[in-house]
């Protein structure tokens, strides 16, 4: 009797849990989550004017833009952000010669060992080295950046939704929260005063909670002097470094797209060939009639 009661109680609990799960799942699927007041000022990432050349099924790398983006990373972003999944030798894919890659690598300092004393030291990088981190560890990185660890940029465009556009929009999208208006004309400071940036934070409508620890890295036109003479406006620099970081995250993207077209063409050819083969093999066979 006791065993039967135990079984019934267990079944009762199981039934209640299943009902609760079903109700919760239905509610989550049918009722949108309530968003905080500040979310009305959040903006989805946008493309730069003219888009990116690598977009679409027939996209290609704009090598000049990638080189400009590397320059922005080196002169601006590298002060805080690591990119240690990319080697200096990979720069050859951006159109640099072997001598240029070696010379460029030598302008960076990487950790090494003194051959005479065995002590840790810094040395000029070689083409086989990877881009160094600006900080020795995460503790030092957080201490220098208002307790926020700057993310590694090697794969940042794959780690963020709509990555290329996100990086571009974020860099070019800093705004003054006291005057910023959303599409409905509401002023952020008046509609969501409790969400105003705190000490050490900055307002950016493309960041998820609008308050970001990173100060605007691109602040003035001409902050970087491009070797090809392109005017270095904030949108231009933002687009260039976004394109470069797209390449670092997926350097084989264009090759993959081109290979995909060959695969589709071969599959189509094989399908047509198989159809003709089937017609040839069964051409002499007549269907039998059953009365």
């Amino acid at each position: 009797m006791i065993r039967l009661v135990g079984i019934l109680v267990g079944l009762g609990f199981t039934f209640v849990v299943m009902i609760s799960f079903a109700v919760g799942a239905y509610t989550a699927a049918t009722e949108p989550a309530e968003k905080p007041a500040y979310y009305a000022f959040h903006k989805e990432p946008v493309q730069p004017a003219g888009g990116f050349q690598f977009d679409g099924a027939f996209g290609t790398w704009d090598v000049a833009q990638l080189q400009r983006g590397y320059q922005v990373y080196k002169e601006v972003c590298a002060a805080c952000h690591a990119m240690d999944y990319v080697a200096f030798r990979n720069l050859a894919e951006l159109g640099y010669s072997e001598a240029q890659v070696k010379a460029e690598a030598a302008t960076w300092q990487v950790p090494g060992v003194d051959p005479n004393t065995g002590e840790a030291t810094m040395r000029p990088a070689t083409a086989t080295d990877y881009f160094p981190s600006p900080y020795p560890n995460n503790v030092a990185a957080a201490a220098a950046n208002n307790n926020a660890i700057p993310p590694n940029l090697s794969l940042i465009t794959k780690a963020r939704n709509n990555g290329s556009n996100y990086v571009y929009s974020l860099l070019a999208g800093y705004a003054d929260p006291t005057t910023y208006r959303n599409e409905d004309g509401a002023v952020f400071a008046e509609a969501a005063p409790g969400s105003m940036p705190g000490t050490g934070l900055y307002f950016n409508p493309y960041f998820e909670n609008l308050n970001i620890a990173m100060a605007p890295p691109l602040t003035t036109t001409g902050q970087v002097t491009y070797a090809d003479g392109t005017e270095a406006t904030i949108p231009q620099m933002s687009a260039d470094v976004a394109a470069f970081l797209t390449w670092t995250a997926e350097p084989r993207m264009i090759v993959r797209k081109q290979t995909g077209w060959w695969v589709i063409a071969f599959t189509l050819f094989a399908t047509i060939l198989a159809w003709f083969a089937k017609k040839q093999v069964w051409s002499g066979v007549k269907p039998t009639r059953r009365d």
Side-chain angles (χ1 to χ4, degrees):
M1 184 65 181
I2 296 177
R3 182 178 297 179
L4 179 60
V5 172
I7 293 175
L8 292 176
V9 171
L11 290 175
F13 275 113
T14 303
F15 179 75
V16 171
V17 170
M18 292 180 64
I19 292 296
S20 300
F21 176 79
V23 171
Y26 176 79
T27 301
T30 58
E31 297 182 8
E34 184 178 353
K35 297 182 183 297
Y38 70 77
Y39 206 82
F41 296 86
H42 181 267
K43 298 180 69 173
E44 293 299 321
V46 296
Q47 281 196 332
F52 289 107
Q53 186 171 306
F54 55 77
D55 281 337
F58 298 97
T60 58
W61 293 123
D62 183 341
V63 175
Q65 183 177 50
L66 298 184
Q67 292 183 357
R68 293 195 302 268
Y70 167 65
Q71 187 177 350
V72 175
Y73 168 77
K74 178 182 179 180
E75 297 184 18
V76 181
C77 308
C80 298
H81 294 274
M83 196 171 64
D84 50 14
Y85 296 150
V86 182
F88 290 102
R89 64 175 178 268
N90 298 132
L91 294 178
E93 299 176 24
L94 303 188
Y96 295 109
S97 66
E98 182 178 352
Q100 289 175 317
V101 170
K102 291 181 178 179
E104 181 60 30
T107 64
W108 294 75
Q109 293 288 310
V110 297
V113 176
D114 190 320
N116 299 317
T117 65
E119 296 180 352
T121 184
M122 299 299 288
R123 62 172 176 80
T126 64
T128 57
D129 287 314
Y130 287 77
F131 283 88
S133 172
Y135 304 105
N137 50 59
N138 286 342
V139 176
N145 293 277
N146 196 32
N147 292 322
I149 301 175
N152 190 303
L153 296 184
S154 304
L155 304 173
I156 194 66
T157 58
K158 291 181 72 68
R160 300 292 185 270
N161 184 42
N162 200 2
S164 303
N165 295 337
Y166 172 80
V167 171
Y168 164 75
S169 300
L170 186 76
L171 293 177
Y174 283 85
D176 181 358
T178 61
T179 59
Y180 181 81
R181 297 175 180 270
N182 63 6
E183 295 179 353
D184 297 329
V187 181
F188 178 76
E190 298 174 358
S195 301
M196 287 286 287
T199 303
L201 299 179
Y202 302 86
F203 178 76
N204 193 310
Y206 294 99
F207 193 64
E208 185 64 25
N209 68 358
L210 309 184
N211 299 326
I212 185 171
M214 180 176 69
L218 303 175
T219 56
T220 59
T221 296
Q223 185 173 344
V224 172
T225 302
Y226 285 138
D228 62 3
T230 301
E231 184 181 9
T233 62
I234 292 177
Q236 181 69 58
M237 291 186 288
S238 301
D240 291 342
V241 75
F244 172 70
L245 294 177
T246 302
W247 171 78
T248 65
E250 198 171 2
R252 300 292 176 266
M253 178 174 63
I254 301 304
V255 174
R256 174 173 54 79
K257 290 181 179 181
Q258 294 171 345
T259 302
W261 285 113
W262 284 107
V263 170
I264 292 174
F266 174 79
T267 303
L268 181 61
F269 171 76
T271 301
I272 296 174
L273 191 64
W275 184 81
F276 279 112
K278 179 259 184 185
K279 296 288 288 184
Q280 178 66 25
V281 169
W282 293 92
S283 61
V285 178
K286 296 182 178 180
T288 58
R289 181 177 177 180
R290 294 182 179 180
D291 294 329

